[in-house]
């Protein structure tokens, strides 16, 4: 039981490049989330998916897109990376009604 | 809108002493409150939650938290700190009345336990 897995662990991009962050969970959870973590700002929600087939914007969605590929997988795409998107990205999942989220190990992204 | 405040960027405590990490929140409905811990280069780990019931909630690794509705606080406590407790701690709130039920995090408090 791997929990929540994320790939890649590290990535360096140049401004304007695109990439997709992958996330998968094997706990049969309905809800999945993407957060970014910046120093002193805690975690901020980018997008979430309450269930397979649905996605909604969080607090900071600009510059990102998401795909809930199936119940297990939720990807985050940066179409044209900007230095302001340099951050650590966390994927999380939770079952319905459980209340708390299980986090992946994170992806450290640097945009030059 | 819901919000969480962690007024201390860092808390320093000697090993064996009690520790408190402060958290206050604001929601329009009833709060679901959480504490998470983050060790270096790791994701967040759930410590404990308050949903309803007793105001004193016990969680993992000997931590507990006290819910105070009148002061809108949910402070994290431990009677005797360990060096291994040194980490980044996040308080979070979910307003179960709001659509989307998004989890809002505080800015985090770094706990340093000195031997």
């Amino acid at each position: 039981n791997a929990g929540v897995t994320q790939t890649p662990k590290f990535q360096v991009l140049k401004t304007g490049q695109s990439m997709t962050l992958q996330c998968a969970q094997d706990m049969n959870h309905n809800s999945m989330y993407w957060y970014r973590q910046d120093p002193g700002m805690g975690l901020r929600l980018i997008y979430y998916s309450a269930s397979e087939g649905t996605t909604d914007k969080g607090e900071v969605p600009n510059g990102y897109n998401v795909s809930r590929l199936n119940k297990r997988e939720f990807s985050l795409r940066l179409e044209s990376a900007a230095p302001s998107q340099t951050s650590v990205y966390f994927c999380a999942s939770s079952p319905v009604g459980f209340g708390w989220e299980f986090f992946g190990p994170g992806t450290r992204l640097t945009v030059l | 809108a819901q919000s969480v405040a962690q007024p201390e960027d860092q808390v320093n405590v000697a090993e064996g002493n009690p520790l408190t990490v402060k958290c206050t929140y604001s929601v329009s409905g009833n709060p679901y409150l959480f504490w998470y811990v983050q060790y270096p280069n790791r994701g967040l780990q759930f410590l404990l939650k308050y949903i309803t019931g007793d105001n004193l909630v016990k969680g993992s690794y000997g931590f507990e938290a006290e819910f105070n509705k009148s002061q809108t606080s949910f402070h994290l406590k431990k009677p005797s700190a360990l060096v291994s407790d040194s980490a980044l701690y996040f308080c979070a709130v979910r307003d179960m009345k709001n659509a989307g039920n998004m989890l809002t995090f505080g800015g985090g408090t770094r706990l340093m336990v000195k031997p």
Side-chain angles (χ1 to χ4, degrees), chain A residues 33 35 37 40-45 48 57-59 90 94 98-106 108, chain B residues 32 34 36 38 41-46 49 51 88 90 94 99-108:
Chain A
Y33 311 81
Y35 292 90
Q37 182 180 23
M41 301 187 75
L43 277 76
R44 292 180 292 169
L45 184 64
Y48 67 100
K57 295 178 180 179
E59 183 184 354
F90 289 99
S94 69
F98 210 45
W100 78 83
E101 293 159 15
F102 295 77
F103 283 81
R108 189 173 295 274
Chain B
Y32 283 16
F34 306 85
Y36 289 84
Q38 185 180 31
N41 301 312
R42 302 285 296 276
L44 276 70
Q45 297 177 32
F46 169 79
K49 72 181 190 299
I51 294 179
L88 190 55
F90 290 98
R94 173 173 276 135
N101 294 336
M102 288 189 288
L103 200 59
T104 298
F105 286 85

Side-chain angles (χ1 to χ4, degrees), chain B residues 45-74:
Chain B
Q45 297 177 32
F46 169 79
L47 271 183
L48 52 80
K49 72 181 190 299
Y50 171 84
I51 294 179
T52 187
D54 289 341
N55 290 341
L56 187 64
V57 178
K58 294 189 185 297
S60 307
Y61 313 121
F63 283 93
E64 57 190 29
E66 187 168 10
F67 171 65
N68 188 316
K69 188 172 183 178
S70 63
Q71 296 185 3
T72 60
S73 66
F74 189 56

